[in-house]
Amino acid sequence: MIGNQPKGTVTKEVNLFSQVWFKYFPYWPLFLVLLAISLAGAWLYIRYKTTPLYEASAAILIKDEKKGQDESKMIESLNLLSAKKIIENEIEVIKSRELMYHVVKNRHLYASIYQKGKIKALSAYTTSPVAIQARYPDSLRGTDKIFFTVDDAKTRVVINKNTYPVNEWVKTPYGELKFIPQDLEPKSTNDPFFFTLANPHSLSVSMAGRVQVSPVSKLSSVISLKLLDVNSKRAEDILNELIVAYNSAALNDKNTLAANTMAWVEDRLKYVEHDLDSIEKKLQNYKASRGAIDIGSQGTLYLENVSNLNQRMGDVSVQLAVLDQVEKYVKSKDNNTGIVPSTVGVNDPLLTQLIDKLYNAELEYDKLRKTTAANNPMALSLKEQIDKIRPSILENINTQKAGLTANKNNLSSLNNRFSSMLSSIPQKERDLVEISRDQNIKSSLYNFLLTKREETALALSASMADSRIIDKAQAYGPIHPGKKIYVMAVLLALALGVGLISAAELFKRTILYRTEIEKYTSVPIIGEISYDKSNEPLVIGDGKRTFIAEQFRNLRTSLPYIGIKAEKKRLLVTSTISGEGKSFIVANLGISLAMTGKKVVVLEFDLSDPTLSKKLDITAEKGLAEYLRGEIRKDEIVQQTSVNENLFIIPSGALPDNPSELITSEKVPELINYLSVFYDYVIIDTAPVGLLSDAYILSSYCDATLYVVRHRHTPKLSIQRIDENNKINELKNLAIVFNGVRSRGFGSGGYGYGYGYGYGYVYNNGKKSKKKRSMFKTKVA
C-alpha cells in the first residue's frame, strides 16, 4: 500500500508522472489527430481485412503414471497391454504433424471451399452444396481460386465450362477428384463458390501450429485442446477428428504388441503340440508291443518322484529358453518396437518390470522420433533411459541363468541317482516310466501355453484407449479481433505522438526544460520568468498583479539564497549570448526591489550593446564610458528613473571603441564602492560571457552573480560548460534565472516547462484567483 511506502518513493513516482504529463499533454491536438487516424485505419482494417474467429475447445483425460488415474482391478486385468503415459509426451504426440496429417486427409481439409463476398471471401464449409475429395491427396499441389457452379439437383459440377458428375472419381486439371453432394442449404445469395487445393503435408504443418494443447493444471492429467478458426463447425470437426486419430494411434500400438505376442505363443504351441503327439504315439506303441499295462507300487512311487523332478527340470529349461529369447531381444541395437518376447515361466517380477519399462521407453522414443527432430531433448532423454535399462536387464538375465544352470545341474544329479535305481526295475517298466515322464513334461508346457494364448486373446479383444474424452469439441464466438486491434491502434497513436515530440525536442540544440539545466550544471536555479506576449520591457510596477510580476517578486525573495543582503548588496547579471533577456531581468528586478522602499541603482555596463536605458526610458549622452575616460564625475552620471522614485540608473553613455579596456580601469571599483555607500542594492548589467570577458572582470567587485538562461534560445552546449568555465574564471555565488519560459504544445497559454515546479495561483487581468488544486507537488524556486 502507498501508505506503507517511504515518502521519497511516493514523491518520485508523483514527480515522474507529473513530468510525463507536463511534457506531452500540451500536444493533445497532435495526439487527438493521430488517434483519429489510427482508429480510422483500425476500423478499415477490421472491416476489409479481418474475419471473426471461433474458438473450439475440448478436453481429454490421460492415464499419467505420475499423476494418478488408476483403473479398477477388473479393467486392469482385462487391459493387460495397457501402458502408463507421461502427459508431457502425450501433448507432443497430439501436436505432432503426423496426427494432423491424418485429420487433414480424413476431413478433406486440403480442399477448402469459399464463397465470394462483396468485401471478402467467406468460408463455405457449412454452406457449400458439395464437398471435394481427392483420390491421391499426397500428389496435390497448391492452386489459386477455382470457381465452380452446381446445378439445382446437385448432380453436375461445372468448372471452366467443363461438366463433371457427382459421386464419381473424375479427372480434372487439378487431379483426380470426387464431388460429394451435401445436404446443406446455402445462403440465399448469388455469390459464386470457389475452392483451393493444398498439399496435405504442408497444410498439416500450419494447422498443427494453430492447435493449442496444454494441461489444465500442473497436478492434473487432463489435457485441454483449443483451436481458432473462421468456421465454428470446422473447428469442432478438426478437434474431434484429432482426438479420434490420437486414440486410434494408441490402439494400433496396443494391437501390434498383442499380435506379436500371439504369434510367438502360437509358434511355440505348434512345436510343443508336435512333440506331445509324438510322445503319446510312442507310449501307445510301446504298451501295445511290450504288453506293459500295470506298474508296480515301487515303480509308481518312483514315477511320481521322477515326474516331479522332470517337471522342475522342464520349467528350468523353459525359463532358460525364455531368458535366451529376452537376452537376444535386449542385445538388439535397432530400438525398434518389434515382437517382444514373453516372459512366461519366469517368476522374477523385476525382470518383467524392466522389460515392460524398456518396451514402453522404446515405444515412446519411436513416437517422438517420428514426430520430432532427432535432437529433441525429450527424445535424447528417452534414448539415454533406454541405454541405461539394457545393462540392468542383461545383468538380471545373467544372474538368473547362473542360478537356473546350477539348479539344473542339481536336478540332473538327482536324475542320475534315480536312473541308477532304475537298473533294479524291469526294463519294460523303466522304459514306460521314461516315456510317461516326457509325456508329463510336454503336457504341462502345452497347458501353460494354452493359458497364455487365451490371456493374450482376451487382452486383444478388451484393448481400450489410454485416454477418455471429458468434453467433446464445442465452439464459442465469434471472437472479434476488434478490441485488440483498437487497443493496438491507440497504443500506436500514443507511441507515434511521443516519438514525434521526443524526436523534435531531441534535435533541438537550445534549452527546453528546467530539468535539462539541472542535468547539465550544478548551479542552482533561483527563479523562472515566463514569456510575456506583450513584449513590454517593464512588467512589474505598482498595481500590477500579473503572473510574471509575481515571478519577479519570487525572484526578489530568493536573492538572500545567493548572499544578497544588507551588507552584501552588489549583484552582477550576465548571460551566454545576446538576446537572453539579462537587461530585461535587471530592469524589472530593480523595480521589484525599489518597490520595497529600498534605493536601487542599476549600471549599464554592457558597453557593446546597451539596452537597459531604453527599457527604463532614459536618454543620456554621457554615462559610464565618459566617467571611465575621466571626462565627468561620479555624481554626474547617476540619474533617477521615472518608473520609481527609488530606482536610479547609470547609463552606458557613448559606445567606446575599447569597452573591455575601459572596464579594467581603477575607476570601476571606485565607482562601485561609492555607490554601495549611498544605495541599498547595486545591480550591474554586463555583456554576455560567451562574447566578452567583461563579466569575469566585474564579478570580482560583486557579491553574487545571476546567470540568465532563456528558453528556446540558450544553447545546451553553453550550459554544459558552465561548471568547467567557472573553475577557470569564477563568477561569485553563481545562480541561474530561467527566462522566457513559453507554454508547450498547442496551448494558447499556461506555464509548464518547469515540470512540476508550478504555482498555486493564476492571474487574470490583474486579479488573483485560486487555481484548481493539483495532484502534483508544487515548489517555489
Side-chain angles (χ1 to χ4, degrees):
M1 294 178 61
I2 294 178
N4 297 329
Q5 293 179 350
K7 183 178 180 181
T9 303
V10 178
T11 303
K12 289 181 179 179
E13 293 177 355
V14 173
N15 287 340
L16 178 61
F17 179 77
S18 64
Q19 288 182 16
V20 174
W21 176 265
F22 279 115
K23 183 174 182 179
Y24 297 110
F25 180 74
Y27 293 93
W28 64 266
L30 173 63
F31 285 101
L32 189 62
V33 171
L34 292 175
L35 187 61
I37 295 174
S38 297
L39 292 177
W43 182 85
L44 291 174
Y45 180 81
I46 294 171
R47 181 73 174 86
Y48 295 102
K49 292 295 184 180
T50 61
T51 303
L53 298 176
Y54 296 84
E55 183 180 66
S57 60
I60 59 175
L61 177 66
I62 303 294
K63 300 172 184 176
D64 192 331
E65 64 179 8
K66 296 180 180 179
K67 301 178 181 178
Q69 181 51 30
D70 293 334
E71 297 175 331
S72 65
K73 294 298 182 180
M74 177 61 71
I75 297 178
E76 187 175 357
S77 63
L78 294 176
N79 195 16
L80 299 176
L81 301 177
S82 176
K84 296 295 184 180
K85 304 294 183 69
I86 299 176
I87 193 169
E88 289 80 7
N89 294 344
E90 300 309 304
I91 289 176
E92 295 300 323
V93 172
I94 295 174
K95 294 166 61 177
S96 66
R97 297 187 297 272
E98 185 67 21
L99 287 185
M100 186 55 69
Y101 170 74
H102 290 292
V103 173
V104 171
K105 288 186 64 176
N106 295 339
R107 303 303 305 182
H108 316 310
L109 300 177
Y110 47 76
S112 300
I113 304 177
Y114 301 91
Q115 189 170 17
K116 186 178 180 180
K118 295 181 180 179
I119 299 176
K120 54 193 172 185
L122 301 176
S123 173
Y125 184 81
T126 56
T127 59
S128 173
V130 295
I132 302 174
Q133 183 178 352
R135 172 169 269 182
Y136 308 106
D138 293 338
S139 63
L140 292 177
R141 294 184 179 181
T143 64
D144 293 330
K145 299 177 181 179
I146 305 170
F147 286 90
F148 68 94
T149 58
V150 182
D151 62 351
D152 295 337
K154 297 182 181 180
T155 59
R156 299 288 176 182
V157 176
V158 180
I159 302 175
N160 295 332
K161 298 182 180 180
N162 296 321
T163 304
Y164 304 97
V166 298
N167 289 325
E168 295 181 14
W169 291 111
V170 294
K171 292 184 178 181
T172 70
Y174 319 105
E176 196 167 350
L177 306 177
K178 179 190 287 188
F179 300 96
I180 306 172
Q182 296 193 102
D183 295 330
L184 301 173
E185 294 185 3
K187 296 180 179 179
S188 56
T189 176
N190 295 324
D191 296 331
F193 291 93
F194 67 88
F195 67 91
T196 60
L197 299 176
N199 185 271
H201 290 283
S202 302
L203 186 59
S204 63
V205 173
S206 61
M207 294 199 66
R210 291 168 48 197
V211 179
Q212 300 179 12
V213 185
S214 61
V216 296
S217 67
K218 292 183 178 180
L219 301 178
S220 173
S221 62
V222 176
I223 294 179
S224 172
L225 294 83
K226 293 182 179 180
L227 175 66
L228 287 174
D229 196 81
V230 297
N231 189 280
S232 59
K233 184 65 168 59
R234 184 169 66 177
E236 293 176 353
D237 291 345
I238 291 174
L239 287 187
N240 288 330
E241 188 67 30
L242 182 60
I243 295 174
V244 171
Y246 169 71
N247 289 332
S248 298
L251 288 176
N252 288 338
D253 291 339
K254 285 187 176 184
N255 293 337
T256 301
L257 175 61
N260 292 339
T261 305
M262 182 66 75
W264 184 83
V265 172
E266 290 287 355
D267 183 67
R268 294 295 299 173
L269 273 173
K270 291 179 181 179
Y271 175 77
V272 174
E273 185 177 7
H274 179 270
D275 289 348
L276 184 59
D277 185 63
S278 299
I279 293 174
E280 290 176 347
K281 288 182 179 180
K282 181 179 179 181
L283 179 61
Q284 182 181 0
N285 295 333
Y286 182 83
K287 288 184 176 181
S289 61
R290 300 293 182 91
I293 299 174
D294 193 11
I295 303 175
S297 59
Q298 184 178 3
T300 302
L301 180 61
Y302 171 74
L303 179 61
E304 292 177 355
N305 293 331
V306 169
S307 296
N308 292 332
L309 183 62
N310 288 332
Q311 183 176 356
R312 291 170 60 188
M313 290 181 65
D315 292 340
V316 171
S317 298
V318 170
Q319 292 184 47
L320 287 172
V322 170
L323 291 176
D324 288 337
Q325 291 292 330
V326 173
E327 184 177 15
K328 181 179 179 181
Y329 168 78
V330 173
K331 287 183 176 180
S332 62
K333 302 297 184 180
D334 52 0
N335 292 333
N336 292 326
T337 56
I339 298 177
V340 180
S342 175
T343 56
V344 292
V346 179
N347 298 324
D348 186 2
L350 177 60
L351 178 61
T352 303
Q353 183 180 359
L354 289 173
I355 292 175
D356 290 341
K357 191 172 183 180
L358 175 62
Y359 173 75
N360 290 333
E362 289 180 342
L363 188 62
E364 295 293 334
Y365 176 73
D366 186 59
K367 289 181 181 179
L368 288 178
R369 188 172 57 182
K370 292 179 180 179
T371 59
T372 62
N375 58 352
N376 183 274
M378 189 170 294
L380 294 177
S381 175
L382 284 174
K383 182 66 170 62
E384 183 181 359
Q385 181 181 356
I386 292 170
D387 293 337
K388 289 182 179 180
I389 295 175
R390 289 179 184 275
S392 301
I393 296 177
L394 292 176
E395 183 180 358
N396 184 284
I397 290 173
N398 292 333
T399 302
Q400 291 197 54
K401 287 177 69 175
L404 291 173
T405 302
N407 190 18
K408 185 176 181 180
N409 293 333
N410 291 334
L411 293 175
S412 179
S413 176
L414 290 174
N415 186 51
N416 292 334
R417 186 184 305 173
F418 282 111
S419 295
S420 62
M421 294 174 61
L422 282 174
S423 59
S424 60
I425 301 176
Q427 184 66 34
K428 185 185 299 185
E429 188 175 6
R430 184 177 63 185
D431 294 340
L432 187 61
V433 169
E434 290 179 354
I435 295 173
S436 299
R437 179 185 61 185
D438 292 339
Q439 183 187 22
N440 291 334
I441 292 173
K442 295 298 180 181
S443 179
S444 299
L445 182 58
Y446 184 76
N447 291 331
F448 175 78
L449 291 175
L450 285 176
T451 302
K452 292 303 176 183
R453 184 178 67 177
E454 292 302 317
E455 290 179 355
T456 304
L458 182 61
L460 182 60
S461 63
S463 181
M464 60 189 69
D466 292 327
S467 63
R468 179 163 59 89
I469 299 177
I470 302 297
D471 290 317
K472 288 187 176 181
Q474 184 173 358
Y476 303 90
I479 302 174
H480 290 279
K483 291 183 179 179
K484 293 183 179 179
I485 295 176
Y486 282 126
V487 170
M488 292 177 62
V490 172
L491 294 178
L492 178 62
L494 294 177
L496 188 59
V498 170
L500 291 175
I501 295 170
S502 300
E505 295 181 350
L506 179 64
F507 291 105
K508 286 280 188 180
R509 296 185 178 181
T510 55
I511 293 295
L512 295 178
Y513 311 122
R514 174 175 179 144
T515 53
E516 289 180 327
I517 303 175
E518 295 172 343
K519 175 183 177 181
Y520 295 146
T521 180
S522 59
V523 178
I525 303 173
I526 66 168
E528 293 184 13
I529 307 299
S530 61
Y531 176 74
D532 183 42
K533 295 182 179 180
S534 66
N535 290 325
E536 295 181 0
L538 304 179
V539 296
I540 187 171
D542 294 334
K544 289 188 176 181
R545 301 296 297 169
T546 61
F547 180 62
I548 190 172
E550 285 301 312
Q551 288 180 314
F552 273 104
R553 292 184 177 94
N554 286 331
L555 178 61
R556 179 185 66 197
T557 59
S558 299
L559 291 178
Y561 176 78
I562 57 175
I564 299 300
K565 301 178 182 178
E567 64 278 5
K568 293 184 179 182
K569 57 184 70 177
R570 293 173 289 190
L571 178 65
L572 179 71
V573 180
T574 186
S575 63
T576 303
I577 57 178
S578 61
E580 292 179 295
K582 58 181 179 55
S583 299
F584 171 76
I585 297 295
V586 170
N588 288 278
L589 180 60
I591 296 173
S592 177
L593 292 170
M595 290 171 61
T596 62
K598 303 292 183 180
K599 294 182 65 177
V600 182
V601 60
V602 293
L603 286 71
E604 193 175 23
F605 253 109
D606 189 352
L607 301 181
S608 299
D609 185 21
T611 59
L612 183 59
S613 298
K614 184 177 180 181
K615 292 181 180 356
L616 294 176
D617 196 19
I618 296 295
T619 303
E621 297 180 354
K622 297 182 179 181
L624 284 171
E626 287 73 18
Y627 166 74
L628 295 177
R629 286 197 296 263
E631 298 177 0
I632 57 176
R633 300 190 308 274
K634 295 186 290 290
D635 55 348
E636 294 178 331
I637 59 176
V638 180
Q639 298 185 29
Q640 187 177 21
T641 65
S642 60
V643 178
N644 190 288
E645 61 180 7
N646 294 323
L647 180 62
F648 298 83
I649 182 175
I650 299 179
S652 62
L655 296 182
D657 296 331
N658 55 344
S660 297
E661 285 71 14
L662 284 178
I663 292 177
T664 59
S665 172
E666 294 181 357
K667 291 182 176 293
V668 172
E670 181 182 343
L671 175 63
I672 295 176
N673 292 332
Y674 169 78
L675 296 174
S676 299
V677 174
F678 297 99
Y679 295 94
D680 297 309
Y681 293 99
V682 179
I683 304 176
I684 300 175
D685 177 16
T686 184
V689 296
L691 304 176
L692 299 171
S693 60
D694 299 2
Y696 294 115
I697 298 172
L698 295 173
S699 178
S700 60
Y701 309 136
C702 299
D703 300 310
T705 305
L706 288 183
Y707 198 99
V708 179
V709 175
R710 186 170 182 175
H711 174 240
R712 295 185 184 178
H713 187 82
T714 303
K716 294 180 181 179
L717 184 61
S718 64
I719 305 302
Q720 294 172 350
R721 294 179 176 176
I722 287 181
D723 291 345
E724 183 179 352
N725 293 337
N726 206 40
K727 292 179 182 179
I728 300 173
N729 298 306
E730 182 181 5
L731 296 174
K732 283 187 178 180
N733 295 333
L734 186 62
I736 290 176
V737 175
F738 195 15
N739 183 36
V741 180
R742 297 171 179 262
S743 59
R744 302 180 69 251
F746 299 93
S748 59
Y751 171 66
Y753 260 91
Y755 284 179
Y757 296 84
Y759 297 88
Y761 297 90
V762 295
Y763 294 85
N764 299 316
N765 299 323
K767 297 181 180 180
K768 184 172 71 173
S769 60
K770 190 73 173 180
K771 186 181 180 181
K772 188 176 181 179
R773 292 183 63 86
S774 172
M775 65 175 291
F776 308 123
K777 179 180 177 181
T778 60
K779 175 181 177 182
V780 177

